[in-house]
């Protein structure tokens, strides 16, 4: 799938002076905040990534495939797949600690408070990218969100200056009211993604993919349509993180379920959650089965109700 946009994809974006970051975020569903993450935190994380993760043979869980897989590399030595929930990788404690120092840094939490009306947050999911995975257009609320819906804020963090040829992160502004599911709760996930792709194709002139530099952060709402543009030149990496936060007083879930059964851990007074457990043979079988049923929301909802009952 080729995702091509206008020259907006190469702009160096700044919030217009007439709007505060909070007001801009509220109106457009996203906002860019420059130079949030200190360089030393980024460098520490990348050093641990090279030391512990890059050449590891460990089967990491990959959100893009729903399976546990070892690293696969591009011809230029970048890991093709993303890493899920890097803030809580038990087999790699030093790497996980470096990740938590980024995600729970006063700078990131302060910026998050600045673009929302909330003061306290729970960290619900994180990801790391080395190469661009060309994430398809989507809204997060299908997968994870606050309950009530629409109050989760996500952050995409540049770990290097992101070249346009690497395939930049994009948003479609002012899509908070876009609902391509409606009351069709049994719509297959694959069909929903087709609708997302069609919406993207019809609104290419609205797509914004700002030029982010090391330490810059783009925040977006769980209902904002977003994704990643295709890679133009694979010799460029696209080292970056994502983090998803909900207000601490709200419950966690998605369009289909409220997850009352989750258990939080804490780090420096803040709560965090991990979606997928570390690798084991049992977990591999379980998530292979989950991948099989994922395209049927009715079956998946039934399994989630069973899971909730036993918790």
């Amino acid at each position: 799938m080729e995702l091509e946009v206008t020259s907006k994809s190469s702009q160096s974006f700044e919030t217009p002076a007439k709007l505060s970051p909070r007001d801009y975020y509220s109106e457009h569903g996203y906002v860019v905040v420059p130079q949030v993450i200190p360089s030393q935190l980024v460098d520490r994380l990348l050093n641990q990534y090279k030391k512990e993760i890059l050449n590891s043979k460990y089967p990491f869980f990959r959100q893009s495939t729903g399976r546990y897989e070892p690293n696969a590399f591009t011809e230029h030595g970048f890991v093709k797949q993303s890493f899920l929930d890097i803030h809580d990788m038990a087999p790699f404690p030093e790497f996980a600690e470096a990740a938590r120092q980024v995600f729970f840094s006063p700078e990131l939490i302060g910026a998050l408070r600045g673009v929302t009306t909330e003061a306290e947050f729970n960290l619900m999911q994180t990801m790391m990218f080395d190469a661009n995975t060309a994430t398809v257009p989507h809204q997060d609320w299908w997968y994870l969100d606050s309950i009530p819906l629409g109050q989760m804020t996500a952050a995409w963090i540049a770990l290097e200056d992101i070249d346009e040829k690497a395939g930049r992160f994009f948003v479609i502004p002012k899509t908070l009211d876009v609902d391509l599911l409606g009351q069709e709760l049994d719509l297959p996930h694959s069909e929903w993604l087709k609708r997302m792709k069609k919406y993207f194709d019809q609104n290419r002139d609205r797509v914004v993919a700002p030029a982010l530099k090391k330490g810059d952060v783009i925040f977006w709402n769980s209902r904002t349509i977003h994704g990643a543009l295709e890679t133009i030149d694979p010799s460029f990496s696209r080292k970056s993180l994502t983090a998803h936060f909900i207000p601490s007083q709200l419950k966690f879930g998605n369009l289909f379920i409220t997850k009352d059964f989750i258990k939080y851990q804490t780090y420096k007074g803040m709560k965090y959650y991990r979606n997928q457990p570390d690798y084991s043979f049992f977990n591999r079988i379980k998530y292979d089965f989950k991948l099989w049923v994922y395209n049927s929301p009715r079956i998946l909802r039934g399994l989630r109700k069973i899971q909730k009952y036993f918790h």
Side-chain angles (χ1 to χ4, degrees), residues 28 46 99-100 141 203 244 293 303:
H28 293 81
L46 292 179
R100 287 192 291 267
W141 68 336
N203 292 273
H244 299 75
V293 302
L303 291 175

Side-chain angles (χ1 to χ4, degrees), residues 67-78:
R67 293 189 171 95
Y68 292 91
E69 302 170 343
N71 291 335
F73 294 89
T74 70
E75 60 181 315
H76 297 281
F78 308 130

